[in-house]
Short mmCIF file of all heavy atoms in Angstrom, two decimals:
data_model
loop_
_atom_site.label_atom_id
_atom_site.label_comp_id
_atom_site.label_asym_id
_atom_site.label_seq_id
_atom_site.Cartn_x
_atom_site.Cartn_y
_atom_site.Cartn_z
N PRO E 3 47.55 130.42 136.78
CA PRO E 3 48.25 131.05 135.64
C PRO E 3 48.92 130.00 134.75
O PRO E 3 48.98 130.15 133.53
CB PRO E 3 49.29 131.93 136.32
CG PRO E 3 48.70 132.24 137.66
CD PRO E 3 47.93 130.99 138.04
N GLU E 4 49.40 128.92 135.36
CA GLU E 4 50.05 127.85 134.59
C GLU E 4 49.06 127.22 133.61
O GLU E 4 49.36 126.98 132.45
CB GLU E 4 50.60 126.79 135.56
CG GLU E 4 51.46 125.73 134.86
CD GLU E 4 52.77 126.31 134.34
OE1 GLU E 4 53.30 127.26 134.93
OE2 GLU E 4 53.25 125.80 133.31
N GLN E 5 47.84 126.94 134.12
CA GLN E 5 46.81 126.35 133.25
C GLN E 5 46.44 127.31 132.12
O GLN E 5 46.24 126.91 130.98
CB GLN E 5 45.57 126.02 134.07
CG GLN E 5 45.73 124.76 134.92
CD GLN E 5 44.51 124.52 135.80
OE1 GLN E 5 43.96 125.45 136.39
NE2 GLN E 5 44.08 123.28 135.88
N ARG E 6 46.34 128.60 132.49
CA ARG E 6 45.98 129.60 131.48
C ARG E 6 47.05 129.66 130.38
O ARG E 6 46.74 129.74 129.20
CB ARG E 6 45.83 130.97 132.14
CG ARG E 6 44.63 131.71 131.59
CD ARG E 6 44.45 133.11 132.09
NE ARG E 6 45.06 133.42 133.36
CZ ARG E 6 44.42 133.42 134.53
NH1 ARG E 6 43.14 133.11 134.61
NH2 ARG E 6 45.05 133.75 135.63
N LYS E 7 48.32 129.58 130.81
CA LYS E 7 49.43 129.62 129.85
C LYS E 7 49.37 128.40 128.93
O LYS E 7 49.55 128.51 127.71
CB LYS E 7 50.76 129.66 130.60
CG LYS E 7 51.93 130.04 129.69
CD LYS E 7 53.21 130.22 130.48
CE LYS E 7 53.67 128.86 131.06
NZ LYS E 7 54.95 128.97 131.75
N ASN E 8 49.11 127.23 129.53
CA ASN E 8 49.02 126.01 128.73
C ASN E 8 47.85 126.09 127.75
O ASN E 8 47.95 125.65 126.61
CB ASN E 8 48.85 124.79 129.64
CG ASN E 8 50.15 124.46 130.37
OD1 ASN E 8 51.23 124.89 129.96
ND2 ASN E 8 50.05 123.70 131.45
N ASN E 9 46.72 126.62 128.22
CA ASN E 9 45.55 126.73 127.34
C ASN E 9 45.83 127.66 126.17
O ASN E 9 45.45 127.37 125.04
CB ASN E 9 44.35 127.27 128.13
CG ASN E 9 43.73 126.21 129.01
OD1 ASN E 9 44.08 125.04 128.91
ND2 ASN E 9 42.83 126.61 129.88
N ARG E 10 46.54 128.77 126.45
CA ARG E 10 46.86 129.71 125.37
C ARG E 10 47.80 129.06 124.37
O ARG E 10 47.61 129.18 123.16
CB ARG E 10 47.51 130.97 125.95
CG ARG E 10 47.76 132.00 124.87
CD ARG E 10 47.91 133.41 125.45
NE ARG E 10 48.89 133.43 126.52
CZ ARG E 10 48.71 134.08 127.68
NH1 ARG E 10 47.60 134.74 127.91
NH2 ARG E 10 49.65 134.06 128.61
N ARG E 11 48.77 128.30 124.87
CA ARG E 11 49.72 127.62 123.97
C ARG E 11 48.97 126.60 123.11
O ARG E 11 49.22 126.49 121.91
CB ARG E 11 50.82 126.93 124.78
CG ARG E 11 51.89 126.34 123.87
CD ARG E 11 53.02 125.73 124.70
NE ARG E 11 53.65 126.72 125.55
CZ ARG E 11 54.03 126.49 126.82
NH1 ARG E 11 53.83 125.31 127.36
NH2 ARG E 11 54.59 127.43 127.52
N MET E 12 48.05 125.86 123.73
CA MET E 12 47.26 124.87 122.99
C MET E 12 46.43 125.56 121.92
O MET E 12 46.35 125.11 120.78
CB MET E 12 46.35 124.12 123.97
CG MET E 12 45.42 123.14 123.26
SD MET E 12 46.24 121.62 122.76
CE MET E 12 46.35 120.78 124.32
N GLY E 13 45.81 126.69 122.28
CA GLY E 13 44.98 127.43 121.33
C GLY E 13 45.81 127.93 120.16
O GLY E 13 45.39 127.84 119.01
N LEU E 14 46.99 128.46 120.45
CA LEU E 14 47.85 128.96 119.38
C LEU E 14 48.29 127.82 118.47
O LEU E 14 48.35 127.97 117.25
CB LEU E 14 49.09 129.64 119.98
CG LEU E 14 48.84 131.02 120.58
CD1 LEU E 14 50.09 131.51 121.29
CD2 LEU E 14 48.43 132.01 119.51
N THR E 15 48.60 126.67 119.07
CA THR E 15 49.02 125.51 118.28
C THR E 15 47.91 125.07 117.35
O THR E 15 48.12 124.86 116.15
CB THR E 15 49.42 124.34 119.21
OG1 THR E 15 50.46 124.77 120.06
CG2 THR E 15 49.89 123.14 118.40
N LEU E 16 46.68 124.95 117.89
CA LEU E 16 45.54 124.53 117.07
C LEU E 16 45.25 125.56 115.98
O LEU E 16 44.96 125.20 114.84
CB LEU E 16 44.30 124.33 117.95
CG LEU E 16 44.39 123.12 118.88
CD1 LEU E 16 43.17 123.08 119.80
CD2 LEU E 16 44.48 121.82 118.09
#
Side-chain angles (χ1 to χ4, degrees):
E4 188 68 31
Q5 284 176 317
R6 221 184 337 262
K7 194 174 67 176
N8 288 340
N9 284 350
R10 184 159 52 224
R11 186 177 299 139
M12 176 77 76
L14 285 173
T15 302
L16 290 175

